[in-house]
Amino acid sequence: MATSENFDQITRLAAFCFNVPSALILMVDLDQCWFCSSLGIAPVDAAAAEALCRDTIRRGGLIEIPDLAALADDAATSAADDAVGNARVLLPPGVDTRRLGFYAGIALVDDTGRTVGALSILDTRPRTLRDADREQLTALGRLAMTEIALRQSDGRRDAMTGLPNERQLVADLHDAALLARGEYRLLVFVDTFDVASARALTQTLGSGPIDALMVQMAERLKEHLEGLSDVYRVAETRFGFVTDCRETDDPEPFIAELSQFIGRTALAAGIPIRPAIRAGLVKLRLREEGVTEALRQAEAAVDASVASNRTWTAYDAEKDAVSQRSYTLATGLERALANNEFYLVYQPRLNMRTGRIASVEALVRWKHSVLGTLFPGEFIPIVERTALMQALTHWVANASLAQLAIWQRAFPELHLSINLSSRDFETGELTGALTQACERHRIAPGMLEVEVKEGDWVRGDAVFEQLTAIRAAGILVAIDDFGSGFSNSGFLRDVPADVLKIDPSLILDLADNERHQTIVRSILDLGRELGYRTVAEGVESEATLALLREWQCEEAQGYLIARPVGANAIGELLHKFAGTA
Ligand code: C2E
Ligand code: CA
Ligand code: CA
């Protein structure tokens, strides 16, 4: 075993406390022994020091030899008996302690009563220990023993709280599965404090308060679960335990009581902190092969509690499948961009006055290597949670503008619209990226339109400024899904935009929904009054198209005209819708 910094700290502390030049920790195991820390011992004295330590280990307790020179003299006359009183010092022949003055050592005994080593101090002059010194040495011995126990537990114990950790939990669940296969257990993970807040607190106040809080949480859990279950620390702010349960047990009262008990405000390093208790529960049938999966499920359940701000959540396989799928998608994004797994389909917009296709909207798809074709409704929200949204938008802009350049050779009036995400406005690079893409593909900026869904995020000055810049560059701005819920006319007056796309929820059943008819008419009136080009989205029937035409809505988009199709099919549609209405 290599010398460790922690053991060195203990010997340094011992040397300092007793004002001696050397201190040692000797460990024994089977027929081996080694110094895991030796401070201030000259090589010539190493054998003598080791012999003294071994003697302490052999005899146990606290051994004190006030005058080693006298002992050596006694040994020379082979009368080493009772050199210090009643114990007999046993040193191998040839070991000379004469150069050392004083020795004291304490045997290190583990939980099972086995002596595993000794902590010793040596001085060059004879001396005697006072009672307070003996207490001090005993305390240092305990400290060394804790360190050894930590090491012996083979990384299965958490140093801060002294609790067994997740590795130990896995090992214990394996054992339980061997002994009681098929029985039910309740595995509970308890998050005690929001990790982000914990890190923020640590940044301002140091790690003291959170460490202290975790120690208190450990104590409270141990107290509450006394006789019922061991407590494990499984993550920074998270604890776990396993209790017996029957298949039909309702965990609610148990968890409610537990969270009340441990959720009280704690005074952590002098600071009052209120724990935030969020639990995840998994009722499991013990099987050796299911242990790791059970832990993952407990993790998923506690994450769900944290995300939804609930005290506890029972593991739900269905929800978990959804989030596992999201996880698979999120981790595959980067590769998908690099491997060209994304592709575009286009949906035409019909100009109702001319009967021509005025523009096409680019809609992204993902041909996933395992999951098949994926739709943006599923993966865009996931991309938005990663740093890759802007990269995807740039890819869409470039790919669709390249395609538009081809179409424009035959249909120079064709416009293109692409969808933006709120994340695209975060860095202020958007306008530049869009104008560059237009230049690269030799597209007049006025032929490009960007669609922005209405939402709270649009209302900020930063977004308005960028929309203004986009329009100043000649690119058109469309408000997507207007009327889908929180829309209001005030927003339409303020937002710098050119086009208004009415949400399909109002259009799909327009022909038979009078309320929607009233709303759509007033949106069209307002839009016209404010100078917007109006587009109805989700047109699926001739009756709806007729109404929109009557109310002078300018463009229509929907399955009636065409579904989103691949670039090749757009050519045909452009020819089909090339004439007067
Ligand atoms: P969106 O921009 O509102 O796109 C219109 C969606 O309505 C498309 O779904 C389209 O297939 C569908 N749709 C069109 N006509 C009809 C109709 O007559 N009836 C019905 N029931 N549905 C119709 P899609 O392609 O699945 O796109 C869903 C959403 O994904 C889009 O809504 C847009 O918000 C987002 N999205 C698509 N592509 C991109 C993209 O490149 N970037 C970003 N940021 N978002 C995108
Ligand atoms: Ca859109
Ligand atoms: Ca839309």
Side-chain angles (χ1 to χ4, degrees):
M1 185 194 275
T3 358
S4 103
E5 178 56 27
N6 289 4
F7 287 124
D8 288 346
Q9 262 172 6
I10 296 170
T11 48
R12 273 202 297 274
L13 188 61
F16 175 80
C17 289
F18 295 98
N19 191 24
V20 292
S22 31
L24 317 155
I25 297 171
L26 185 84
M27 295 278 295
V28 285
D29 193 11
L30 301 174
D31 52 358
Q32 291 186 58
C33 82
W34 65 94
F35 285 116
C36 54
S37 176
S38 74
L39 181 78
I41 282 287
V44 290
D45 295 325
E50 184 188 319
L52 289 162
C53 292
R54 275 175 172 275
D55 180 62
T56 301
I57 291 167
R58 183 179 60 83
R59 287 195 277 165
L62 195 153
I63 302 297
E64 213 179 312
I65 307 176
D67 187 353
L68 280 166
L71 174 73
D73 293 341
D74 288 349
T77 59
S78 82
D81 253 38
D82 261 8
V84 216
N86 34 36
R88 180 187 163 92
V89 181
L90 253 193
L91 297 179
V95 165
D96 185 5
T97 57
R98 214 178 309 254
R99 285 161 36 86
L100 304 165
F102 159 83
Y103 171 89
I106 177 115
L108 306 174
V109 183
D110 73 9
D111 282 350
T112 66
R114 200 166 54 98
T115 302
V116 297
L119 166 70
S120 307
I121 51 172
L122 287 142
D123 202 350
T124 48
R125 297 179 305 270
R127 64 186 276 180
T128 45
L129 293 182
R130 292 163 302 162
D131 278 349
D133 294 333
R134 291 190 191 97
E135 260 171 46
Q136 177 109 287
L137 189 61
T138 309
L140 285 168
R142 267 201 302 273
L143 194 62
M145 196 54 237
T146 310
E147 183 62 30
I148 292 165
L150 265 177
R151 272 148 204 281
Q152 283 183 336
S153 63
D154 188 22
R156 288 185 180 180
R157 212 160 263 278
D158 166 50
M160 175 58 56
T161 58
L163 292 180
N165 63 14
E166 188 167 12
R167 282 183 62 185
Q168 187 65 52
L169 176 58
V170 172
D172 290 351
L173 273 173
H174 265 288
D175 290 350
L178 278 172
L179 294 171
R181 191 180 171 93
E183 281 182 21
Y184 284 92
R185 293 284 188 280
L186 186 67
L187 169 64
V188 183
F189 273 14
V190 184
D191 200 47
T192 56
F193 204 70
D194 170 54
V195 176
S197 317
R199 298 215 170 123
L201 199 67
T202 299
Q203 267 187 352
T204 42
L205 299 173
S207 61
I210 291 300
D211 287 350
L213 180 68
M214 289 308 125
V215 170
Q216 286 196 47
M217 290 294 110
E219 290 306 319
R220 285 182 187 177
L221 277 164
K222 274 202 297 202
E223 185 184 336
H224 195 73
L225 297 169
E226 170 105 64
L228 201 63
S229 166
D230 285 338
V231 181
Y232 303 77
R233 189 175 185 194
V234 296
E236 215 172 320
T237 58
R238 239 167 236 195
F239 299 87
F241 60 89
V242 186
T243 66
D244 290 347
C245 77
R246 277 163 312 193
E247 196 190 351
T248 49
D249 280 351
D250 173 15
E252 166 86 59
F254 167 66
I255 295 296
E257 206 182 301
L258 174 109
S259 74
Q260 205 165 32
F261 183 80
I262 64 170
R264 291 167 289 134
T265 299
L267 205 59
I271 297 165
I273 300 183
R274 194 176 175 76
I277 307 301
R278 304 277 174 259
L281 278 55
V282 181
K283 204 175 275 184
L284 70 129
R285 266 190 101 162
L286 291 172
R287 310 178 291 127
E288 292 133 69
E289 23 347 320
V291 169
T292 327
E293 171 61 13
L295 257 67
R296 196 196 61 72
Q297 292 176 355
E299 194 99 7
V302 79
D303 285 345
S305 284
V306 172
S308 61
N309 229 352
R310 273 183 311 220
T311 307
W312 66 279
T313 307
Y315 172 74
D316 177 333
E318 237 165 79
K319 280 206 193 107
D320 187 41
V322 173
S323 68
Q324 277 206 67
R325 187 174 157 104
S326 308
Y327 182 75
T328 308
L329 297 188
T331 52
L333 277 174
E334 205 150 11
R335 192 206 53 222
L337 265 173
N339 293 358
N340 269 320
E341 289 178 27
F342 291 104
Y343 66 96
L344 292 173
V345 291
Y346 299 87
Q347 189 177 32
R349 240 156 72 177
L350 182 73
N351 180 320
M352 289 198 267
R353 206 172 33 78
T354 64
R356 286 200 194 116
I357 289 178
S359 94
V360 292
E361 177 176 4
L363 296 161
V364 67
R365 303 286 181 263
W366 179 358
K367 194 163 177 51
H368 193 278
S369 50
V370 179
L371 301 169
T373 300
L374 304 175
F375 286 81
E378 178 176 18
F379 65 81
I380 291 285
I382 296 169
V383 185
E384 284 180 329
R385 275 185 257 132
T386 73
L388 294 169
M389 192 60 234
Q390 296 190 9
L392 182 62
T393 300
H394 291 182
W395 178 83
V396 169
N398 275 299
S400 59
L401 285 168
Q403 183 57 54
L404 181 66
I406 297 170
W407 286 326
Q408 282 195 347
R409 287 184 213 144
F411 300 91
E413 292 308 310
L414 185 67
H415 289 63
L416 166 77
S417 72
I418 63 170
N419 292 281
L420 296 182
S421 146
S422 61
R423 301 286 312 260
D424 291 318
F425 291 84
E426 277 175 2
T427 59
E429 290 162 11
L430 182 60
T431 313
L434 292 171
T435 46
Q436 274 169 29
C438 286
E439 280 165 23
R440 185 173 311 133
H441 302 286
R442 299 175 198 281
I443 300 289
M447 308 308 279
L448 176 65
E449 183 182 298
V450 291
E451 300 191 3
V452 176
K453 285 195 198 295
E454 200 215 342
D456 281 338
W457 66 275
V458 185
R459 292 187 166 77
D461 287 347
V463 173
F464 271 23
E465 271 167 30
Q466 290 185 67
L467 292 176
T468 306
I470 288 171
R471 292 177 83 205
I475 298 166
L476 301 173
V477 172
I479 301 304
D480 203 357
D481 295 356
F482 188 80
S484 58
F486 41 159
S487 316
N488 64 55
S489 55
F491 172 74
L492 272 196
R493 280 176 218 282
D494 298 335
V495 66
D498 310 276
V499 178
L500 189 56
K501 294 188 81 173
I502 304 172
D503 193 67
S505 63
L506 294 170
I507 304 297
L508 286 168
D509 63 352
L510 189 69
D512 356 86
N513 187 325
E514 282 182 22
R515 209 175 78 85
H516 285 173
Q517 292 180 9
T518 313
I519 297 171
V520 169
R521 284 186 82 159
S522 71
I523 292 176
L524 287 170
D525 287 345
L526 179 70
R528 203 173 306 112
E529 184 190 315
L530 295 173
Y532 283 100
R533 164 170 286 268
T534 48
V535 183
E537 232 185 329
V539 179
E540 292 189 354
S541 73
E542 290 286 358
T544 295
L545 189 70
L547 281 177
L548 291 165
R549 187 174 276 132
E550 182 189 327
W551 299 334
Q552 292 164 40
C553 176
E554 279 150 286
E555 294 183 18
Q557 179 178 351
Y559 293 172
L560 177 71
I561 297 125
R563 291 189 174 245
V565 292
N568 292 338
I570 287 289
E572 254 169 66
L573 287 166
L574 286 170
H575 285 289
K576 178 176 160 195
F577 293 95
T580 46

